[in-house]
């Protein structure tokens, strides 16, 4: 069983669209597609068998993201951006297709910071919104009576959920790489906290086949990850295509 795992990474996730365009020509449809944060939107499109060209076109036409309104956050879980345009775009993505293969989307539940995966028909526009609700920038999203933040907050590449659904082959697209040391240290601490919090056992890497695709370095600055620029997106898509062409699947 194969699971395609898509990391978070904001605008960097455009790289994943390019990689999938090439890799999809050479591999069978995955049994599961699992995404976090911006990767959840790519996961929705891939699981819904949206043509890769359509997904890429959406990444190339997100200029409305640069019209987001800044605001003073209301309280500790407030946000500095009005998410209206983002939520509208996510709702439109949701309406373009429905999953034709198993899909999982990760969310971070508040206040426990437990990472949860919502699957298949349980996924609604609210779930996709919650998976992309980066703290500080966007407010938490209420779904099913609970509040949630960004799915990549505690686990940027949710490969453990691929194991949980029984996958024996993990094809991972990780664009959240090459980060500064302080970010990496913080991320490792949060991941260890999550493992302790959820009683997770050590990964049995010897029983799982890994195919790992990632940029050679951080694709851009933190600002680049947050602000849409067509030239950056075009470059990342091209770099993703190149990685997809070079990937060894055997």
């Amino acid at each position: 069983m194969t699971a395609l795992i898509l990391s978070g990474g904001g605008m960097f996730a455009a790289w994943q669209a390019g990689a999938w365009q090439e890799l999809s020509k050479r591999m069978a449809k995955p049994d599961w597609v699992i995404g976090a944060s911006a990767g959840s939107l790519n996961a929705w499109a891939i699981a819904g068998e949206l043509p890769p060209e359509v997904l890429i076109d959406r990444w190339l036409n997100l200029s409305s993201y640069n019209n987001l309104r800044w605001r003073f956050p209301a309280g500790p879980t407030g946000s500095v951006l009005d998410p209206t345009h983002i939520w509208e775009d996510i709702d439109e993505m949701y309406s373009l297709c429905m999953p034709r293969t198993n899909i999982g989307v990760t969310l971070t539940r508040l206040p426990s910071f437990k990472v949860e995966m919502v699957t298949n028909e349980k996924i609604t526009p609210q779930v996709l919104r919650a998976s992309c609700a980066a703290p500080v920038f966007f407010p938490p999203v209420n779904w099913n009576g609970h509040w949630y933040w960004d799915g990549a907050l505690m686990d940027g590449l949710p490969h453990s959920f691929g194991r949980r659904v029984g996958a024996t082959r993990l094809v991972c697209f990780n664009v959240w790489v090459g980060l500064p040391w302080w970010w990496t240290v913080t991320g490792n601490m949060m991941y260890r906290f999550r493992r302790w919090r959820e009683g997770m056992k050590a990964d049995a890497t010897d029983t799982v086949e890994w195919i790992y695709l990632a940029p050679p370095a951080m694709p851009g600055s933190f600002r680049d990850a947050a602000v849409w620029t067509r030239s950056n997106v075009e470059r990342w898509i091209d770099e993703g295509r190149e990685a997809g062409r070079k990937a060894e699947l055997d």
Side-chain angles (χ1 to χ4, degrees):
M1 180 189 296
T2 299
L4 176 64
I5 313 296
L6 306 173
S7 75
M11 294 298 162
F12 297 161
W15 186 97
Q16 298 172 350
W20 175 247
Q21 184 181 38
E22 293 299 323
L23 205 64
S24 63
K25 301 173 183 177
R26 301 193 290 119
M27 68 174 281
K29 182 174 71 173
D31 301 285
W32 277 87
V33 186
I34 299 173
S37 194
S40 72
L41 303 181
N42 288 334
W44 182 260
I46 292 170
E49 298 184 5
L50 196 70
E53 296 76 17
V54 176
L55 177 58
I56 285 173
D57 183 69
R58 289 192 62 81
W59 277 105
L60 291 173
N61 293 279
L62 293 178
S63 58
S64 62
Y65 278 39
N66 293 345
N67 296 324
L68 299 178
R69 291 178 294 177
W70 293 84
R71 64 187 183 183
F72 190 81
T77 59
S79 65
V80 297
L81 290 174
D82 179 348
T84 301
H85 288 305
I86 300 287
W87 292 171
E88 289 175 350
D89 187 79
I90 290 174
D91 292 352
E92 183 179 347
M93 170 65 83
Y94 182 89
S95 70
L96 289 178
C97 58
M98 293 300 292
R100 297 183 181 182
T101 192
N102 293 307
I103 178 175
V105 170
T106 61
L107 319 173
T108 303
R109 184 167 170 174
L110 300 176
S112 67
F113 286 89
K114 179 180 180 181
V115 181
E116 300 179 2
M117 183 170 74
V118 184
T119 61
N120 298 328
E121 68 276 359
K122 295 179 181 179
I123 298 173
T124 66
Q126 288 293 100
V127 171
L128 294 180
R129 290 181 180 188
S131 188
C132 296
V136 180
F137 291 101
F138 303 115
V141 174
N142 188 283
W143 175 74
N144 204 25
H146 300 283
W147 290 96
Y148 292 91
W149 254 338
D150 195 301
L153 181 60
M154 302 293 289
D155 190 357
L157 181 68
H159 59 81
S160 62
F161 288 98
R163 300 173 183 279
R164 293 187 191 185
V165 300
T168 55
R169 188 191 202 205
L170 300 178
V171 180
C172 301
F173 290 1
N174 187 14
V175 297
W176 211 222
V177 296
L179 301 169
W181 69 268
W182 52 268
W183 185 283
T184 302
V185 169
T186 303
N188 287 338
M189 291 175 62
M190 294 175 73
Y191 182 68
R192 289 176 182 275
F193 171 77
R194 180 197 165 209
R195 292 179 68 90
W196 171 81
R197 173 69 173 74
E198 300 179 27
M200 295 168 62
K201 297 181 180 180
D203 295 333
T205 53
D206 58 328
T207 63
V208 176
E209 177 188 358
W210 285 78
I211 298 174
Y212 182 83
L213 279 71
M218 188 173 177
S221 66
F222 283 111
R223 182 182 185 280
D224 291 335
V227 178
W228 181 88
T229 304
R230 187 181 179 94
S231 60
N232 281 341
V233 170
E234 289 175 340
R235 173 168 56 85
W236 297 330
I237 289 172
D238 286 341
E239 291 174 354
R241 287 180 178 130
E242 183 66 17
R245 284 191 288 267
K246 293 181 177 179
E248 297 182 4
L249 298 179
D250 298 328

